[in-house]
Amino acid sequence: MTNPLVPLRIPKLDQGMWQQPDATIQWLRDTRLGMFIHWGVYAGPAHGEWYMHSAAITPAAYQNFVTQSSPQQFTADACRPADWARLAQQLGAGYTVLTARHHDGFALWPSSYPLSWNAGQAPLKRDFVREYVAAVRAAGLRVGLYYSPINWRYPGYYDVTGTDPAHRENARLMKEEVYQCVKELVTQYGALDDFWWDGGWLAEQGTDADASFFWEPGRYRDSGNGWPVDAAYGATETGTGLPLGLTGLVRQSQPTATATPRSGWIGDYDVDEGGAVPTGRLRSGHLVQKDVQRRQHLGPNQAALMQQLGTFMKANGEAVYNTRGGPWDPVDGQYGFTFSTNTVYVHLLPGYSGSTFTTPALGDAHAVRAYDVVSHAPLQLSIGTGGSAGAGNQATITGIDRTRYPDDTVIAIVLDRAVIPTDIARTRATSADSIETAHGNLAANAVDGDTATRWCAADGATGHWLSVDLGSVTPVTGARLAWEFDGHRYSYRIGASTDGSSWTTLADLTATAGTAQVQTVGFAATTRHLRVTVTALDAGCWASIRLFEVYDRPFFDPSL
């Protein structure tokens, strides 16, 4: 009976910029819930943020929603960021994101770009971003800003290569405004936690990544790019003087901010936008965007929905905050799981009928009690082996109350040990025969739990080894390794020793043809020391390990 591990997230390098490490994005995993605020000129006519486009309104006519008195005028009289922040707190959200500029090109702050249309101009003459940031911070919430490089006010957006010669220069000016706007947002409003890019595609065709040649969303800009940004509106990297791309521009001033992939850069996490409920297998690193505000006033239906969700979160927060999805895959429309330490939370959805639930196999763990998360009243628990072959140790809970929260009834099952096997090599003493000390790639990096760091040998030769001391002789069941690169062959042996001198081979993968970055190896031994020896390498690779985990319980990696 094996136990699932949490799949590893390994930062990727894209267009010269690494994704943020796990430690930097952990707050997103822990807070779990944020409030996304769509608010701008379109709140006046109250037809949603795509109104200018869907109704084919010209830029000049659209500006009238700001400058001309009418029932549809965007006056911002109802702009009360403190109320928004209070609503986010009531919702149970840990962060908020405001549309600082949407596709209509209206900036909610006084931008200095000469062609900008922004809130600092008459008749509004306000800085809504500053008001929002101050209110959110005062409420103890994390701050996110949304920014879209799309700008429907520029005809060049639909013809950046210049079928019409004037469009190419118009597109360049549009790009230039983007760089100035982003520079202002990341330098004028203090620390930002999340930068929510949107709309990196061009002419609303292809993908965001397809448009990278134009926006240059990575670390640097190319000095030979066909749409150059004037030095007055771009920025250069401190130290090197190189012109910064969009992500480089954000990171230089906001080094810990997370970002979505919609600029054309890979992003720090994936996004599912819209109202569709995610389906299929358990995914890691995803967020779901939900629109919560589209009018100058929050409508009663929206307010009621958010208060309802807030009530649920207050009653069931322990099954959401500081948890991870899993350990098992959900069943669409019926049930799903979250977990924390030694507790599994079962979320029973409307498609699941009845007041009894039987878990999948619990591996080597045993359920010791179950309770209703809302009332904390104990639930009847029985242990069995299930009806199907290989079902293994399972828990059945009966007497579940489905009436209070029928959309998501949550029960807790407490196990006699951690839900996920613990890496017993974490932070243990390490040694290696070769270390690339000049770049800080120390042996200890392989057991620090951080996939953004690594041990690396000082040269590209084979035969180099890394060893970990578990502290005492202990039974082990296998290991999980994360190599420096994906798609490359690393051949290796794993050996064991009780005294650090005499070694026994536990697993020999010298002949492996596998190129997966993450690999698991099962074995049974009682040992104190474990050693990985690299026996063969692809050209261009060195002996380099991001993570060397060791386990003392049966395990498997569901992502492999």
Side-chain angles (χ1 to χ4, degrees):
M1 296 184 291
T2 57
N3 309 277
L5 302 179
V6 173
L8 296 177
R9 173 189 174 271
I10 301 176
K12 295 181 175 59
L13 178 68
D14 181 44
Q15 300 174 66
M17 183 64 73
W18 286 97
Q19 291 177 309
Q20 296 282 23
D22 279 4
T24 302
I25 70 164
Q26 189 61 42
W27 69 268
L28 275 172
R29 288 173 165 165
D30 292 342
T31 56
R32 309 295 282 176
L33 180 64
M35 188 176 83
F36 198 102
I37 307 168
H38 267 105
W39 189 78
V41 173
Y42 43 84
H47 290 297
E49 66 275 11
W50 278 74
Y51 182 51
M52 177 181 176
H53 182 278
S54 60
I57 303 173
T58 66
Y62 193 74
Q63 284 187 225
N64 292 337
F65 288 123
V66 175
T67 59
Q68 293 186 2
S69 178
S70 77
Q72 294 184 317
Q73 184 182 14
F74 176 67
T75 63
D77 290 344
C79 177
R80 299 185 181 91
D83 290 347
W84 299 348
R86 195 156 36 247
L87 184 62
Q89 290 175 312
Q90 293 169 357
L91 174 67
Y95 67 101
T96 65
V97 179
L98 172 68
T99 49
R101 198 191 81 169
H102 210 273
H103 309 334
D104 60 5
F106 182 76
L108 294 182
W109 74 98
S111 177
S112 65
Y113 188 71
L115 300 180
S116 173
W117 179 39
N118 63 77
Q121 298 162 348
L124 294 169
K125 296 184 179 181
R126 289 177 65 179
D127 188 339
F128 298 118
V129 171
R130 190 168 303 282
E131 296 173 30
Y132 155 80
V133 168
V136 171
R137 286 205 188 102
L141 303 172
R142 288 185 179 264
V143 178
L145 290 177
Y146 164 108
Y147 183 85
S148 169
I150 287 179
N151 196 327
W152 292 322
R153 300 173 62 246
Y154 287 85
Y157 167 70
Y158 291 96
D159 183 26
V160 300
T161 57
T163 303
D164 178 332
H167 284 174
R168 187 182 184 95
E169 173 61 10
N170 184 261
R172 189 193 71 79
L173 294 173
M174 174 183 67
K175 175 182 177 181
E176 199 168 69
E177 180 176 344
V178 168
Y179 275 79
Q180 176 62 21
C181 284
V182 172
K183 182 168 64 174
E184 291 168 350
L185 290 174
V186 300
T187 60
Q188 297 179 7
Y189 297 98
L192 303 177
D193 298 291
D194 188 47
F195 204 89
W196 189 290
W197 294 102
D198 190 20
W201 58 352
L202 286 172
E204 294 149 22
Q205 296 178 4
T207 67
D208 300 313
D210 290 340
S212 293
F213 75 94
F214 176 76
W215 299 117
E216 298 184 275
R219 182 173 184 176
Y220 299 120
R221 282 183 285 118
D222 181 355
S223 58
N225 185 272
W227 299 265
V229 175
D230 188 277
Y233 305 116
T236 57
E237 186 175 59
T238 302
T240 68
L242 294 172
L244 290 168
L246 291 176
T247 302
L249 181 59
V250 173
R251 285 279 187 89
Q252 177 157 279
S253 295
Q254 303 288 341
T256 61
T258 58
T260 66
R262 294 299 313 277
S263 69
W265 178 70
I266 192 172
D268 298 305
Y269 54 87
D270 294 327
V271 176
D272 282 334
E273 295 188 46
V277 176
T279 59
R281 295 197 64 191
L282 183 68
R283 289 175 283 175
S284 60
H286 282 67
L287 295 180
V288 180
Q289 170 188 339
K290 297 295 183 187
D291 299 341
V292 301
Q293 187 161 332
R294 292 177 183 266
R295 294 176 172 81
Q296 299 204 61
H297 300 270
L298 184 66
N301 291 338
Q302 288 180 312
L305 178 61
M306 294 182 70
Q307 289 167 358
Q308 180 182 350
L309 179 55
T311 301
F312 170 85
M313 291 297 293
K314 186 175 182 179
N316 296 276
E318 71 168 271
V320 180
Y321 302 123
N322 302 304
T323 66
R324 295 292 298 269
W328 309 292
D329 283 334
V331 174
D332 291 347
Q334 296 193 48
Y335 54 84
F337 308 95
T338 56
F339 72 91
S340 177
T341 316
N342 66 332
T343 303
V344 175
Y345 298 98
V346 184
H347 298 254
L348 301 179
L349 308 178
Y352 186 84
S353 61
S355 58
T356 298
F357 184 81
T358 299
T359 67
L362 298 175
D364 65 347
H366 294 84
V368 294
R369 67 186 181 95
Y371 62 88
D372 180 288
V373 168
V374 175
S375 67
H376 278 245
L379 293 172
Q380 185 174 342
L381 170 69
S382 60
I383 306 300
T385 57
S388 59
N393 176 31
Q394 294 174 281
T396 297
I397 298 89
T398 56
I400 302 169
D401 182 357
R402 300 295 307 278
T403 61
R404 279 172 304 207
Y405 293 101
D407 289 338
D408 187 356
T409 301
V410 188
I411 59 173
I413 303 171
V414 181
L415 307 182
D416 63 348
R417 63 200 68 189
V419 176
I420 298 297
T422 300
D423 169 22
I424 62 172
R426 180 75 58 87
T427 71
R428 291 292 186 178
T430 55
S431 58
D433 73 313
S434 177
I435 298 174
E436 190 186 30
T437 55
H439 293 94
N441 295 321
L442 308 179
N445 293 351
V447 296
D448 65 1
D450 184 355
T451 55
T453 64
R454 59 190 174 93
W455 161 72
C456 186
D459 58 52
T462 59
H464 292 308
W465 54 263
L466 170 77
S467 178
V468 60
D469 181 351
L470 300 178
S472 62
V473 175
T474 186
V476 293
T477 58
R480 179 167 66 173
L481 294 95
W483 298 96
E484 179 180 2
F485 298 118
D486 191 18
H488 290 272
R489 176 173 169 259
Y490 295 87
S491 299
Y492 58 99
R493 290 193 307 270
I494 297 180
S497 173
T498 56
D499 58 8
S501 299
S502 301
W503 294 87
T504 301
T505 298
L506 298 180
D508 191 341
L509 288 90
T510 299
T512 183
T515 60
Q517 187 173 18
V518 178
Q519 300 181 20
T520 58
V521 184
F523 46 75
T526 300
T527 186
R528 174 171 176 169
H529 303 270
L530 285 169
R531 184 172 69 186
V532 181
T533 303
V534 178
T535 56
L537 292 164
D538 272 356
C541 293
W542 287 16
S544 185
I545 296 175
R546 292 180 178 272
L547 213 57
F548 181 29
E549 298 177 327
V550 179
Y551 292 97
D552 60 359
R553 295 170 58 192
F555 69 91
F556 71 97
D557 187 330
S559 68
L560 303 179

